[in-house]
Amino acid sequence: MGFLSILSMAHQWIAERVQPGDIVIDATAGGGVDTLKLAELVGARGTVHAFDIQQDALDRTLERLRPLEERGKLPQVRLHLRNHALMAEAVGPSAEGNVAAVMFNLGYLPGGDESVITVPTTTIAALDAALALLRRGGIVTVALYPGHPGGAEEAAIVADWAAKLPGAMYAAVLYRQPQRDTAPYLIAVEKR
């Protein structure tokens, strides 16, 4: 049977906390897989914000959402062609403390330009913004990919960031295959 992939585990943790009508964020839209999952969870009454710095990623995301739209089950979706570090500004002050989940899938756009990657400086700023937007009981998931150039450094910085969060305010977990140093892994943070 095997263990769940890191993305399946992230989706499971998100599904346990997100309800129809919620506000959710995909901080790295990429191919739209996480955006679609979030859209299915919040339903037609919910709101999904998806961020990416590449128009190709947002186009792929929009295409992935099309079946939900055709069935009349698409929530309000706002695609943002901007860096995820600017998410708080983009979603607006009314979202602060009201977001149920924020998903990050770091690295590069599969099938795209592999030289365009997430970087620690903006990723940490985006993670801090995500925590400020979360409601109590909300969750941030971060899929990390140490096997690509720049990925190991970013993963180590994100892991250090999570380890230093105050335990009275946040619970952080790590889902990882310890036998393989370059295997992707998952960090999740829940706001208490």
Side-chain angles (χ1 to χ4, degrees), residues 56-100:
D56 182 36
L58 296 179
D59 293 343
R60 290 185 198 185
T61 298
L62 192 57
E63 188 60 34
R64 192 172 297 271
L65 293 170
R66 198 162 314 284
L68 275 183
E69 183 179 32
E70 290 168 358
R71 295 193 314 265
K73 296 186 177 192
L74 187 67
Q76 182 176 13
V77 176
R78 295 186 179 147
L79 301 179
H80 303 275
L81 181 62
R82 62 172 60 188
N83 192 291
H84 54 200
L86 303 172
M87 77 171 70
E89 168 189 305
V91 301
S94 64
E96 188 171 333
N98 293 310
V99 173

Side-chain angles (χ1 to χ4, degrees), residues 105-164:
N105 197 336
L106 301 179
Y108 57 86
L109 176 64
D113 181 352
E114 293 183 15
S115 70
V116 179
I117 61 171
T118 54
V119 294
T121 52
T122 54
T123 295
I124 295 300
L127 288 165
D128 288 339
L131 291 184
L133 292 169
L134 275 188
R135 69 179 181 209
R136 185 177 294 232
I139 187 171
V140 172
T141 62
V142 188
L144 299 152
Y145 298 89
H148 72 86
E153 175 192 5
E154 183 173 46
I157 290 170
V158 170
D160 185 59
W161 169 87
K164 291 179 178 173

